[in-house]
């Protein structure tokens, strides 16, 4: 009998990316970072060219019944801005390719571009081109270019044993907002959570400030969930970590609304996606400076864990002192 061929369910999105990374290797000396980080980095003298791309597909990433075209335009660019933010880079230019169904009203596309324009203006980036095609569902792909000083940029690799682990903002709000949209449509008083899902705000200024001051050793944006994105940072840095559950930053709205939807209080904060916060590591000597940064930018930054040797893996310490290694880390396509 012929053995059943492996499919994507078995290896998942990240298993596939790891394979692609082995199939495609590069020896180009100008390529500082290829596959394996939030952004590709190409050396251009003392500066570096940053390139990132993200795709949004109707029915997978968004639903037209709850995300309006204006919000979709803003969000399409925001998710790419977040990747540039995670390197501490300056976003500059973007191209957008769109696949659209024939019966889509023109007003949908004009509102989409209005949202795109608003986000572009806020973050001072310019649309320079793209591509357009017929498609059964709406597909949006943006390729965003940015720049940075090579010596300032922060990568997923670079974390060292003994470093502190920090995260910006609060976690789990967007995932809870999405759950509310899916299960109830709307709840009076929980609009703030839904807004976090529909209108994420990329931490571009925070990323640039951290990079410029050389406070951090590694950084990633939290797009698929705290634990899975932490595990990417750990893997690239060749280290392990512990995260203290009771230090995970939670919003007042998350605390208020999580219970009717989930038994496990921390689940969405640990492994829900789309927070678009920044997760970074910094040597303990920097610990005193972080509160100043947080106050000056008015963004909460929380010390949630520490970097350990690789053999420790990733584990979570509960309030009662017990620790566990989570089985589900976060969102992964095909799984
Ligand atoms: P993020 O969540 O920050 O957007 P991803 O997990 O999508 O990052 O991607 C991780 C790395 O894998 C990046 O370097 C990205 O460019 C690369 N990558 C993702 N998909 C592909 C692909 N189909 N072919 C080549 N590289 C890919
Ligand atoms: Mg990312």
């Amino acid at each position: 009998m012929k053995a059943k061929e492996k499919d994507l369910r078995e290896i998942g999105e990240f298993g596939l990316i790891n394979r692609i990374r082995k199939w495609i290797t590069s020896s180009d000396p100008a390529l500082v970072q290829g596959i394996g980080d939030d952004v590709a980095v190409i050396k251009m003298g003392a500066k570096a060219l940053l390139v990132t791309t993200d795709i949004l597909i109707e029915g997978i990433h968004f639903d037209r019944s709850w995300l309006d075209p204006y919000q979709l335009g803003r969000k399409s660019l925001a998710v790419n801005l977040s990747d540039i933010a995670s390197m501490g880079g300056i976003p500059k230019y973007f191209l957008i390719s769109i696949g659209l169904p024939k019966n889509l009203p023109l007003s949908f596309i004009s509102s989409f571009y209005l949202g795109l324009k608003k986000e572009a203006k806020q973050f001072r980036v310019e649309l320079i081109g793209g591509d357009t095609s017929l498609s059964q569902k709406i597909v949006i792909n943006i390729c965003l270019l940015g720049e940075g000083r090579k010596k300032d940029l922060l990568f997923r690799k670079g974390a060292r044993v003994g470093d502190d682990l920090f995260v910006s903002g609060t976690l789990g709000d967007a995932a809870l907002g999405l759950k509310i949209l899916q299960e109830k449509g709307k709840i009076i008083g929980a609009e703030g959570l839904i807004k976090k899902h529909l209108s994420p705000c990329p931490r571009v200024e925070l990323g640039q400030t951290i990079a410029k001051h050389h406070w951090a050793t590694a950084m990633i944006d939290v797009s698929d969930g705290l634990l899975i994105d932490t595990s990417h940072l750990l893997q690239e840095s060749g280290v392990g970590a512990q995260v203290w559950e009771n230090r995970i930053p939670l919003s007042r709205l998350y605390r208020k609304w999580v219970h009717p939807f989930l038994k496990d209080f921390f689940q969405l904060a640990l492994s829900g996606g789309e927070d678009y916060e920044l997760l970074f590591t910094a040597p303990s000597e920097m610990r005193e400076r972080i509160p100043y940064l947080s106050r000056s930018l008015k963004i909460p930054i929380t010390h949630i864990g520490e970097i350990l040797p690789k053999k420790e893996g990733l584990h979570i310490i509960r309030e009662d002192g017990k620790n566990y290694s989570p089985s589900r880390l976060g969102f992964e396509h095909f799984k």
Side-chain angles (χ1 to χ4, degrees), residues 62-82:
F62 67 92
D63 194 317
R64 263 194 260 174
S65 63
W66 67 60
L67 190 68
D68 70 39
Y70 179 84
Q71 291 165 327
L72 180 61
R74 295 202 70 161
K75 189 168 175 175
S76 309
L77 187 53
V79 300
N80 283 280
L81 289 163
S82 178

Side-chain angles (χ1 to χ4, degrees), residues 105-293:
L106 191 55
S107 62
F108 183 99
I109 308 161
S110 58
S111 299
F112 173 84
Y113 270 84
L114 210 59
L116 198 64
K117 201 165 136 183
K118 175 81 182 169
E119 191 77 7
K121 187 160 183 238
Q122 184 179 335
F123 290 93
R124 289 191 227 108
V125 294
E126 300 275 345
L127 175 59
I128 56 166
D131 198 13
T132 305
S133 165
L134 172 66
S135 165
Q136 272 162 5
K137 302 243 173 207
I138 300 174
V139 179
I140 298 154
N141 172 242
I142 286 183
C143 174
L144 175 62
L145 309 178
E147 65 174 23
R149 286 198 306 176
K150 208 181 133 256
K151 66 185 180 59
D152 293 346
L153 296 175
L154 283 161
F155 298 83
R156 292 180 180 182
K157 60 182 174 235
R160 287 176 301 223
V161 175
D163 281 355
D164 294 334
L165 184 65
F166 292 94
V167 73
S168 65
T170 57
L171 298 174
D173 298 331
L176 183 55
L178 174 62
K179 218 169 169 48
I180 293 173
L181 274 172
Q182 285 170 329
E183 290 179 19
K184 298 267 184 229
K186 184 166 150 185
I187 293 181
I188 311 249
E191 294 85 353
L193 296 168
I194 293 171
K195 186 166 174 261
K196 281 277 187 83
H197 168 73
L198 301 177
S199 312
C201 180
R203 301 294 197 186
V204 177
E205 192 185 4
L206 175 63
Q208 287 169 1
T209 310
I210 294 170
K212 191 172 69 192
H213 292 289
H214 298 180
W215 283 328
T217 47
M219 190 150 70
I220 185 169
D221 69 324
V222 182
S223 55
D224 296 327
L226 173 70
L227 295 181
I228 199 148
D229 288 313
T230 302
S231 79
H232 293 321
L233 185 146
L234 300 180
Q235 195 181 354
E236 295 303 318
S237 295
V239 292
Q242 62 183 15
V243 170
W244 305 301
E245 198 175 63
N246 63 349
R247 296 249 196 126
I248 305 290
L250 302 175
S251 68
R252 186 184 53 79
L253 284 177
Y254 182 96
R255 290 171 193 277
K256 180 168 174 195
W257 290 104
V258 71
H259 269 318
F261 293 93
L262 275 181
K263 275 205 230 74
D264 182 346
F265 187 71
F266 288 101
Q267 190 192 317
L268 290 179
L270 289 170
S271 52
E274 301 210 287
D275 297 304
Y276 299 106
E277 294 296 344
L278 294 181
L279 177 82
F280 62 97
T281 55
S284 53
E285 308 89 80
M286 299 296 167
R287 206 176 286 169
E288 321 239 290
R289 306 196 188 180
I290 306 295
Y292 291 107
L293 172 68

